[in-house]
Amino acid sequence: MMKLRRLLAAFGAVFSAGAIAHPHSFIDMNTTFVAKDQRLVGLKMVWVMDEITSADLLYDAKNAKSDSEVWKKLAAEVMANVLGQHYFTDLYRDGKPVKYLNLPSEYHLSRQGNQAVLEFVLPLAEPQPLAGKPFELSTYDPTYFVDMTYKDQNALHLPPEMAPLCSYKLMTPKPNASLQAYALSLDKNDSPGEDLALGQQFAQRVTLQCR
């Protein structure tokens, strides 16, 4: 939980006194698959944070220009916390985890109205042939303190070289009433038991199949 709180501190999260239920922070995600020479080489992610989570972060940036050292420093702080959580992302193929490089090939933090936007490219440690077993992708906060979701399938994108060969499906889980009630019962200072894997049970799953 402490690692996650450090992430939220980097985001500049400010929570209302009345907030009592998990999740407490919200991120809208957008992902583009990145391919080269018929191989999947990475994922380009765009995370748009809710206005409350963004508030202090944007206040710190104030009127600084987008290419200023202020924004670069904030981006580095946020990205370091994301890396500390393994990009909050699981990618599996044939039941085995696909490994990533420890550093993103690029990253950027910006402002979109009253929301902070983190963009980065998650590079795979080894390029994966597109054809073959499907890829299974999930991005989530294990504690479910932060809700990380795709609004719909339009938040996922195939580049031109992948579009004729691949298709994807977005699946949103439907946790039972008991699990939902448990999440609602958690105060923002509470951490669910590790064995429960709460965030994973609420996590969306993307299946990518190529031929």
Side-chain angles (χ1 to χ4, degrees), residues 157-203:
H157 309 277
L158 295 173
E161 60 268 34
M162 289 181 66
L165 304 171
C166 307
S167 61
Y168 59 82
K169 181 183 295 185
L170 174 65
M171 292 161 284
T172 298
K174 297 180 179 179
N176 61 41
S178 176
L179 191 63
Q180 292 185 51
Y182 173 70
L184 288 171
S185 74
L186 293 172
D187 182 83
K188 66 182 180 183
N189 294 317
D190 293 335
S191 180
E194 292 184 5
D195 57 335
L196 186 59
L198 185 64
Q200 191 173 32
Q201 297 192 60
F202 282 88

Short mmCIF file of all heavy atoms in Angstrom, two decimals, residues 157-203:
data_model
loop_
_atom_site.label_atom_id
_atom_site.label_comp_id
_atom_site.label_asym_id
_atom_site.label_seq_id
_atom_site.Cartn_x
_atom_site.Cartn_y
_atom_site.Cartn_z
N HIS A 157 -6.26 0.42 -29.72
CA HIS A 157 -5.97 0.73 -31.12
C HIS A 157 -4.94 -0.22 -31.71
O HIS A 157 -3.97 -0.60 -31.06
CB HIS A 157 -5.44 2.16 -31.24
CG HIS A 157 -6.28 3.18 -30.55
ND1 HIS A 157 -7.41 3.73 -31.14
CD2 HIS A 157 -6.20 3.74 -29.32
CE1 HIS A 157 -7.97 4.58 -30.30
NE2 HIS A 157 -7.25 4.61 -29.18
N LEU A 158 -5.18 -0.59 -32.97
CA LEU A 158 -4.23 -1.37 -33.75
C LEU A 158 -3.59 -0.45 -34.79
O LEU A 158 -4.30 0.25 -35.51
CB LEU A 158 -4.93 -2.53 -34.45
CG LEU A 158 -5.54 -3.62 -33.57
CD1 LEU A 158 -6.34 -4.58 -34.44
CD2 LEU A 158 -4.45 -4.37 -32.81
N PRO A 159 -2.26 -0.43 -34.91
CA PRO A 159 -1.63 0.37 -35.96
C PRO A 159 -1.91 -0.26 -37.32
O PRO A 159 -2.33 -1.43 -37.41
CB PRO A 159 -0.14 0.30 -35.59
CG PRO A 159 0.01 -0.99 -34.86
CD PRO A 159 -1.27 -1.16 -34.09
N PRO A 160 -1.69 0.48 -38.42
CA PRO A 160 -2.02 -0.02 -39.75
C PRO A 160 -1.40 -1.38 -40.08
O PRO A 160 -2.04 -2.22 -40.73
CB PRO A 160 -1.47 1.06 -40.69
CG PRO A 160 -1.54 2.31 -39.87
CD PRO A 160 -1.22 1.89 -38.47
N GLU A 161 -0.17 -1.63 -39.61
CA GLU A 161 0.48 -2.90 -39.94
C GLU A 161 -0.12 -4.08 -39.20
O GLU A 161 0.05 -5.23 -39.60
CB GLU A 161 1.99 -2.83 -39.65
CG GLU A 161 2.37 -2.56 -38.21
CD GLU A 161 2.55 -1.09 -37.93
OE1 GLU A 161 1.83 -0.26 -38.53
OE2 GLU A 161 3.43 -0.75 -37.12
N MET A 162 -0.86 -3.82 -38.12
CA MET A 162 -1.49 -4.90 -37.37
C MET A 162 -2.96 -5.09 -37.73
O MET A 162 -3.49 -6.20 -37.57
CB MET A 162 -1.36 -4.65 -35.86
CG MET A 162 0.04 -4.79 -35.30
SD MET A 162 0.08 -4.49 -33.50
CE MET A 162 -0.88 -5.89 -32.89
N ALA A 163 -3.61 -4.04 -38.18
CA ALA A 163 -5.06 -4.08 -38.40
C ALA A 163 -5.54 -5.23 -39.28
O ALA A 163 -6.56 -5.86 -38.98
CB ALA A 163 -5.54 -2.74 -38.95
N PRO A 164 -4.84 -5.55 -40.41
CA PRO A 164 -5.33 -6.65 -41.25
C PRO A 164 -5.12 -8.03 -40.64
O PRO A 164 -5.73 -9.01 -41.08
CB PRO A 164 -4.49 -6.51 -42.53
CG PRO A 164 -3.86 -5.17 -42.45
CD PRO A 164 -3.67 -4.89 -41.01
N LEU A 165 -4.26 -8.11 -39.63
CA LEU A 165 -3.84 -9.41 -39.10
C LEU A 165 -4.41 -9.73 -37.72
O LEU A 165 -4.43 -10.90 -37.33
CB LEU A 165 -2.31 -9.47 -39.00
CG LEU A 165 -1.52 -9.18 -40.28
CD1 LEU A 165 -0.04 -9.07 -39.95
CD2 LEU A 165 -1.77 -10.28 -41.30
N CYS A 166 -4.84 -8.72 -37.01
CA CYS A 166 -5.17 -8.91 -35.60
C CYS A 166 -6.56 -8.39 -35.25
O CYS A 166 -7.10 -7.51 -35.91
CB CYS A 166 -4.14 -8.18 -34.72
SG CYS A 166 -2.41 -8.60 -35.05
N SER A 167 -7.09 -8.92 -34.18
CA SER A 167 -8.33 -8.43 -33.60
C SER A 167 -8.20 -8.52 -32.09
O SER A 167 -7.37 -9.26 -31.56
CB SER A 167 -9.53 -9.26 -34.08
OG SER A 167 -9.39 -10.61 -33.68
N TYR A 168 -9.01 -7.73 -31.39
CA TYR A 168 -8.93 -7.75 -29.93
C TYR A 168 -10.32 -7.71 -29.33
O TYR A 168 -11.30 -7.32 -29.97
CB TYR A 168 -8.09 -6.58 -29.41
CG TYR A 168 -8.60 -5.22 -29.81
CD1 TYR A 168 -9.64 -4.60 -29.09
CD2 TYR A 168 -8.09 -4.54 -30.91
CE1 TYR A 168 -10.13 -3.37 -29.46
CE2 TYR A 168 -8.58 -3.29 -31.29
CZ TYR A 168 -9.59 -2.71 -30.55
OH TYR A 168 -10.08 -1.49 -30.92
N LYS A 169 -10.39 -8.11 -28.09
CA LYS A 169 -11.65 -8.10 -27.36
C LYS A 169 -11.40 -7.56 -25.96
O LYS A 169 -10.43 -7.93 -25.30
CB LYS A 169 -12.22 -9.52 -27.28
CG LYS A 169 -13.55 -9.63 -26.54
CD LYS A 169 -14.02 -11.06 -26.44
CE LYS A 169 -14.31 -11.65 -27.80
NZ LYS A 169 -14.88 -13.03 -27.70
N LEU A 170 -12.27 -6.66 -25.51
CA LEU A 170 -12.20 -6.10 -24.17
C LEU A 170 -13.27 -6.74 -23.30
O LEU A 170 -14.45 -6.74 -23.66
CB LEU A 170 -12.41 -4.58 -24.22
CG LEU A 170 -12.49 -3.85 -22.87
CD1 LEU A 170 -11.17 -3.94 -22.12
CD2 LEU A 170 -12.90 -2.39 -23.08
N MET A 171 -12.85 -7.29 -22.17
CA MET A 171 -13.77 -7.95 -21.25
C MET A 171 -13.76 -7.22 -19.91
O MET A 171 -12.70 -7.03 -19.32
CB MET A 171 -13.39 -9.41 -21.07
CG MET A 171 -13.58 -10.25 -22.33
SD MET A 171 -12.65 -11.81 -22.30
CE MET A 171 -10.99 -11.20 -22.63
N THR A 172 -14.93 -6.80 -19.45
CA THR A 172 -15.07 -6.13 -18.16
C THR A 172 -15.72 -7.09 -17.19
O THR A 172 -16.82 -7.60 -17.45
CB THR A 172 -15.93 -4.85 -18.30
OG1 THR A 172 -15.27 -3.95 -19.21
CG2 THR A 172 -16.10 -4.17 -16.96
N PRO A 173 -15.06 -7.37 -16.07
CA PRO A 173 -15.59 -8.36 -15.12
C PRO A 173 -16.84 -7.84 -14.41
O PRO A 173 -17.10 -6.63 -14.36
CB PRO A 173 -14.44 -8.55 -14.13
CG PRO A 173 -13.70 -7.25 -14.17
CD PRO A 173 -13.80 -6.79 -15.60
N LYS A 174 -17.59 -8.76 -13.85
CA LYS A 174 -18.77 -8.42 -13.07
C LYS A 174 -18.64 -9.09 -11.71
O LYS A 174 -19.20 -10.18 -11.48
CB LYS A 174 -20.05 -8.88 -13.78
CG LYS A 174 -20.29 -8.18 -15.12
CD LYS A 174 -21.56 -8.66 -15.79
CE LYS A 174 -21.77 -7.94 -17.12
NZ LYS A 174 -23.01 -8.41 -17.81
N PRO A 175 -17.88 -8.46 -10.79
CA PRO A 175 -17.69 -9.05 -9.46
C PRO A 175 -19.03 -9.26 -8.76
O PRO A 175 -19.98 -8.49 -8.95
CB PRO A 175 -16.83 -8.00 -8.73
CG PRO A 175 -16.16 -7.24 -9.82
CD PRO A 175 -17.15 -7.19 -10.94
N ASN A 176 -19.10 -10.30 -7.93
CA ASN A 176 -20.35 -10.57 -7.24
C ASN A 176 -20.64 -9.51 -6.18
O ASN A 176 -19.80 -8.69 -5.82
CB ASN A 176 -20.34 -11.97 -6.62
CG ASN A 176 -19.22 -12.15 -5.60
OD1 ASN A 176 -18.95 -11.25 -4.80
ND2 ASN A 176 -18.58 -13.31 -5.62
N ALA A 177 -21.87 -9.52 -5.69
CA ALA A 177 -22.34 -8.49 -4.75
C ALA A 177 -21.48 -8.47 -3.49
O ALA A 177 -21.22 -7.40 -2.92
CB ALA A 177 -23.81 -8.73 -4.41
N SER A 178 -21.04 -9.62 -3.04
CA SER A 178 -20.24 -9.69 -1.81
C SER A 178 -18.91 -8.96 -1.98
O SER A 178 -18.49 -8.21 -1.09
CB SER A 178 -20.00 -11.16 -1.44
OG SER A 178 -19.15 -11.26 -0.32
N LEU A 179 -18.26 -9.16 -3.13
CA LEU A 179 -16.97 -8.51 -3.38
C LEU A 179 -17.15 -7.00 -3.53
O LEU A 179 -16.34 -6.21 -3.03
CB LEU A 179 -16.32 -9.10 -4.62
CG LEU A 179 -14.86 -8.71 -4.86
CD1 LEU A 179 -13.97 -9.21 -3.74
CD2 LEU A 179 -14.37 -9.25 -6.21
N GLN A 180 -18.21 -6.61 -4.21
CA GLN A 180 -18.48 -5.18 -4.37
C GLN A 180 -18.74 -4.52 -3.02
O GLN A 180 -18.27 -3.41 -2.75
CB GLN A 180 -19.67 -4.97 -5.30
CG GLN A 180 -19.41 -5.38 -6.74
CD GLN A 180 -20.57 -5.05 -7.66
OE1 GLN A 180 -21.07 -3.94 -7.68
NE2 GLN A 180 -21.02 -6.04 -8.42
N ALA A 181 -19.49 -5.20 -2.16
CA ALA A 181 -19.78 -4.66 -0.83
C ALA A 181 -18.50 -4.52 -0.01
O ALA A 181 -18.33 -3.55 0.73
CB ALA A 181 -20.79 -5.55 -0.12
N TYR A 182 -17.60 -5.50 -0.16
CA TYR A 182 -16.33 -5.43 0.57
C TYR A 182 -15.51 -4.23 0.13
O TYR A 182 -14.96 -3.49 0.96
CB TYR A 182 -15.53 -6.73 0.36
CG TYR A 182 -14.14 -6.67 0.94
CD1 TYR A 182 -13.95 -6.67 2.32
CD2 TYR A 182 -13.02 -6.60 0.12
CE1 TYR A 182 -12.67 -6.60 2.86
CE2 TYR A 182 -11.75 -6.54 0.65
CZ TYR A 182 -11.58 -6.54 2.02
OH TYR A 182 -10.31 -6.46 2.54
N ALA A 183 -15.42 -4.01 -1.19
CA ALA A 183 -14.67 -2.87 -1.71
C ALA A 183 -15.27 -1.56 -1.20
O ALA A 183 -14.55 -0.63 -0.82
CB ALA A 183 -14.66 -2.89 -3.23
N LEU A 184 -16.59 -1.48 -1.16
CA LEU A 184 -17.26 -0.27 -0.70
C LEU A 184 -17.05 -0.03 0.80
O LEU A 184 -17.14 1.10 1.27
CB LEU A 184 -18.76 -0.35 -0.99
CG LEU A 184 -19.17 -0.22 -2.46
CD1 LEU A 184 -20.65 -0.54 -2.63
CD2 LEU A 184 -18.88 1.18 -2.98
N SER A 185 -16.75 -1.10 1.53
CA SER A 185 -16.58 -0.97 2.99
C SER A 185 -15.20 -0.45 3.37
O SER A 185 -14.99 -0.06 4.52
CB SER A 185 -16.81 -2.32 3.66
OG SER A 185 -15.69 -3.20 3.43
N LEU A 186 -14.26 -0.41 2.41
CA LEU A 186 -12.88 -0.05 2.73
C LEU A 186 -12.70 1.46 2.81
O LEU A 186 -13.09 2.18 1.90
CB LEU A 186 -11.93 -0.63 1.68
CG LEU A 186 -11.80 -2.15 1.64
CD1 LEU A 186 -10.98 -2.56 0.43
CD2 LEU A 186 -11.15 -2.68 2.91
N ASP A 187 -12.11 1.91 3.89
CA ASP A 187 -11.73 3.30 4.01
C ASP A 187 -10.48 3.52 3.18
O ASP A 187 -9.77 2.58 2.83
CB ASP A 187 -11.45 3.63 5.49
CG ASP A 187 -11.09 5.09 5.69
OD1 ASP A 187 -12.00 5.93 5.79
OD2 ASP A 187 -9.88 5.38 5.73
N LYS A 188 -10.17 4.80 2.87
CA LYS A 188 -8.99 5.07 2.05
C LYS A 188 -7.69 4.72 2.75
O LYS A 188 -6.65 4.60 2.11
CB LYS A 188 -8.96 6.53 1.59
CG LYS A 188 -8.78 7.56 2.70
CD LYS A 188 -8.83 8.95 2.08
CE LYS A 188 -8.67 10.04 3.11
NZ LYS A 188 -8.80 11.38 2.52
N ASN A 189 -7.73 4.51 4.08
CA ASN A 189 -6.54 4.09 4.81
C ASN A 189 -6.44 2.58 4.93
O ASN A 189 -5.45 2.06 5.45
CB ASN A 189 -6.54 4.71 6.21
CG ASN A 189 -6.38 6.22 6.15
OD1 ASN A 189 -5.57 6.72 5.40
ND2 ASN A 189 -7.17 6.93 6.95
N ASP A 190 -7.47 1.88 4.48
CA ASP A 190 -7.48 0.42 4.55
C ASP A 190 -6.79 -0.20 3.35
O ASP A 190 -6.81 0.36 2.25
CB ASP A 190 -8.92 -0.11 4.61
CG ASP A 190 -9.62 0.26 5.90
OD1 ASP A 190 -8.93 0.49 6.90
OD2 ASP A 190 -10.86 0.33 5.89
N SER A 191 -6.20 -1.35 3.56
CA SER A 191 -5.61 -2.11 2.47
C SER A 191 -6.19 -3.51 2.48
O SER A 191 -6.17 -4.18 3.52
CB SER A 191 -4.08 -2.19 2.63
OG SER A 191 -3.50 -2.92 1.58
N PRO A 192 -6.74 -3.97 1.37
CA PRO A 192 -7.33 -5.32 1.34
C PRO A 192 -6.26 -6.37 1.50
O PRO A 192 -5.08 -6.16 1.19
CB PRO A 192 -7.99 -5.39 -0.04
CG PRO A 192 -7.22 -4.42 -0.87
CD PRO A 192 -6.83 -3.31 0.06
N GLY A 193 -6.64 -7.54 1.98
CA GLY A 193 -5.69 -8.63 2.14
C GLY A 193 -5.04 -9.00 0.81
O GLY A 193 -5.71 -9.04 -0.22
N GLU A 194 -3.74 -9.28 0.84
CA GLU A 194 -3.01 -9.60 -0.39
C GLU A 194 -3.56 -10.84 -1.07
O GLU A 194 -3.54 -10.96 -2.29
CB GLU A 194 -1.52 -9.76 -0.09
CG GLU A 194 -0.83 -8.46 0.31
CD GLU A 194 0.66 -8.63 0.50
OE1 GLU A 194 1.15 -9.74 0.21
OE2 GLU A 194 1.32 -7.67 0.93
N ASP A 195 -4.04 -11.80 -0.27
CA ASP A 195 -4.53 -13.04 -0.85
C ASP A 195 -5.84 -12.83 -1.61
O ASP A 195 -6.25 -13.66 -2.42
CB ASP A 195 -4.72 -14.10 0.23
CG ASP A 195 -5.66 -13.65 1.34
OD1 ASP A 195 -5.78 -12.42 1.54
OD2 ASP A 195 -6.26 -14.52 2.01
N LEU A 196 -6.51 -11.70 -1.36
CA LEU A 196 -7.78 -11.43 -2.04
C LEU A 196 -7.58 -10.96 -3.48
O LEU A 196 -8.43 -11.18 -4.33
CB LEU A 196 -8.56 -10.37 -1.25
CG LEU A 196 -9.98 -10.06 -1.73
CD1 LEU A 196 -10.85 -11.31 -1.69
CD2 LEU A 196 -10.60 -8.97 -0.87
N ALA A 197 -6.42 -10.32 -3.76
CA ALA A 197 -6.14 -9.78 -5.10
C ALA A 197 -7.33 -8.96 -5.59
O ALA A 197 -7.85 -9.18 -6.69
CB ALA A 197 -5.83 -10.93 -6.07
N LEU A 198 -7.74 -8.01 -4.77
CA LEU A 198 -8.96 -7.25 -5.03
C LEU A 198 -8.93 -6.55 -6.38
O LEU A 198 -9.86 -6.66 -7.18
CB LEU A 198 -9.19 -6.23 -3.91
CG LEU A 198 -10.50 -5.44 -3.98
CD1 LEU A 198 -11.70 -6.37 -3.84
CD2 LEU A 198 -10.53 -4.37 -2.88
N GLY A 199 -7.85 -5.81 -6.65
CA GLY A 199 -7.76 -5.08 -7.91
C GLY A 199 -7.84 -5.99 -9.12
O GLY A 199 -8.46 -5.64 -10.13
N GLN A 200 -7.24 -7.15 -9.02
CA GLN A 200 -7.24 -8.08 -10.15
C GLN A 200 -8.64 -8.58 -10.45
O GLN A 200 -9.00 -8.81 -11.60
CB GLN A 200 -6.31 -9.26 -9.84
CG GLN A 200 -6.03 -10.15 -11.03
CD GLN A 200 -4.98 -11.19 -10.72
OE1 GLN A 200 -4.87 -11.67 -9.58
NE2 GLN A 200 -4.17 -11.54 -11.69
N GLN A 201 -9.46 -8.70 -9.42
CA GLN A 201 -10.82 -9.20 -9.63
C GLN A 201 -11.72 -8.16 -10.28
O GLN A 201 -12.75 -8.50 -10.86
CB GLN A 201 -11.42 -9.65 -8.29
CG GLN A 201 -10.66 -10.82 -7.68
CD GLN A 201 -11.41 -11.45 -6.54
OE1 GLN A 201 -12.53 -11.95 -6.71
NE2 GLN A 201 -10.81 -11.45 -5.36
N PHE A 202 -11.33 -6.88 -10.20
CA PHE A 202 -12.07 -5.83 -10.87
C PHE A 202 -11.44 -5.43 -12.20
O PHE A 202 -11.96 -4.56 -12.90
CB PHE A 202 -12.16 -4.59 -9.96
CG PHE A 202 -13.18 -4.69 -8.87
CD1 PHE A 202 -12.85 -5.25 -7.64
CD2 PHE A 202 -14.47 -4.22 -9.06
CE1 PHE A 202 -13.79 -5.34 -6.62
CE2 PHE A 202 -15.42 -4.32 -8.05
CZ PHE A 202 -15.08 -4.88 -6.82
N ALA A 203 -10.30 -6.03 -12.53
CA ALA A 203 -9.53 -5.59 -13.70
C ALA A 203 -10.15 -6.05 -15.02
O ALA A 203 -10.59 -7.20 -15.16
CB ALA A 203 -8.10 -6.13 -13.60
#
